Amino acid sequence: GRGPSHIAQNPKSAQSNLFPVEVAPSFMFAIYGIKATDKHGHEIQSSGGRRRRNEMWAKGLNHLLTKLGKTEKQIKMIERTIFFDGSACYSAKPIEGLRSTNLPVILWGGSEDTTSGAGEVGDQLEVVSVEPYSAPYELQCRNVATPGGSAQVEFRCGTCPGRAFVNAQSLLQHCREQGCTPAYGNGGGKKPPPAQPEVFVGYINRAINRAMNERMARWGREYIDPRSFKEPVDERSGRSYGVKLFRGKSNCSLLSLPCTNY
């Protein structure tokens, strides 16, 4: 028969790898719709189409931000908050020069000169729409309104895109050293419409995957920290087995938070 299962008959506690988080009151993101066509005006949908669209988006965005006077450092910080997804692009905030009043706009291509280094000769990428979203209603209903005459400070930098901190002390230290200002709530201003849960989770998964790619190494479908591992040894001789054990980490964001405020 089977041996003991090592599971308590009436367990009182359990370990979990789920990390509950809270969304900042002023949280928002935007989705840009794009259209890519070849020199004949046909939409690019071939097997290499994603690569061609990605190249044109990266080159065109860099060119746009450079024309707007952004430095190389500022451009890199903005690019870290943008997630290309084939037929659309997710952004942590509206992109200067690509707001709804500017669209549609040809971001890249249309001539032999402008396609050099991106896509193929005659390829063109056009940004056709932008849809801003706030957090889903299920997450917004827990936010407490800011009293009149006061401002709500979030643990984010209002100058550096995508920089967040664990507490007020680290935020203020960053602002003093870099000459930045904290991020404040919108003060009761109009918010973008709430995102549907599946749209919100799609954006969050892309953002977390980017962060994990920057900080960890890929191992199949999982991520590992190359600097953190265990090396098991033989209990009797103390000799190493010659293997290293890494803790695998994966990203699968879920939204399961029913709103109880009716």
Side-chain angles (χ1 to χ4, degrees), residues 35-211:
K35 180 182 179 181
T37 55
D38 60 19
K39 61 183 178 181
H40 302 295
H42 301 149
E43 192 166 352
I44 299 174
Q45 295 180 336
S46 62
S47 58
R50 182 183 177 89
R51 173 191 59 80
R52 291 159 67 182
R53 290 192 294 267
N54 193 5
E55 287 178 353
M56 290 190 288
W57 171 268
K59 290 280 187 179
L61 181 64
N62 187 282
H63 182 65
L64 171 68
L65 296 176
T66 301
K67 287 200 306 181
L68 293 174
K70 303 296 183 183
T71 65
E72 183 177 350
K73 181 180 178 180
Q74 290 174 324
I75 292 175
K76 288 187 178 298
M77 293 176 64
I78 294 173
E79 289 175 342
R80 289 187 69 246
T81 65
I82 298 173
F83 315 99
F84 182 80
D85 191 41
S87 60
C89 286
Y90 293 76
S91 177
K93 60 188 301 185
I95 303 171
E96 188 176 351
L98 293 178
R99 300 183 184 275
S100 57
T101 53
N102 306 119
L103 304 182
V105 63
I106 296 175
L107 189 65
W108 185 261
S111 70
E112 183 173 350
D113 295 331
T114 55
T115 52
S116 176
E120 299 179 3
V121 175
D123 285 357
Q124 176 177 289
L125 187 135
E126 182 180 16
V127 181
V128 296
S129 64
V130 58
E131 296 291 341
Y133 293 102
S134 59
Y137 173 75
E138 290 85 349
L139 300 180
Q140 289 191 25
C141 63
R142 298 181 358 133
N143 294 333
V144 179
T146 304
S150 62
Q152 188 174 40
V153 180
E154 300 176 1
F155 294 159
R156 297 186 297 112
C157 179
T159 307
C160 304
R163 290 296 301 272
F165 303 87
V166 296
N167 52 46
Q169 181 180 356
S170 55
L171 168 63
L172 295 176
Q173 181 179 351
H174 165 80
C175 291
R176 285 194 298 267
E177 294 175 352
Q178 304 295 329
C180 301
T181 57
Y184 296 92
N186 63 3
K190 185 178 179 180
K191 280 187 175 183
Q196 293 295 320
E198 58 272 17
V199 176
F200 171 78
V201 171
Y203 168 75
I204 294 299
N205 277 331
R206 287 166 177 81
I208 295 177
N209 277 332
R210 170 74 61 81

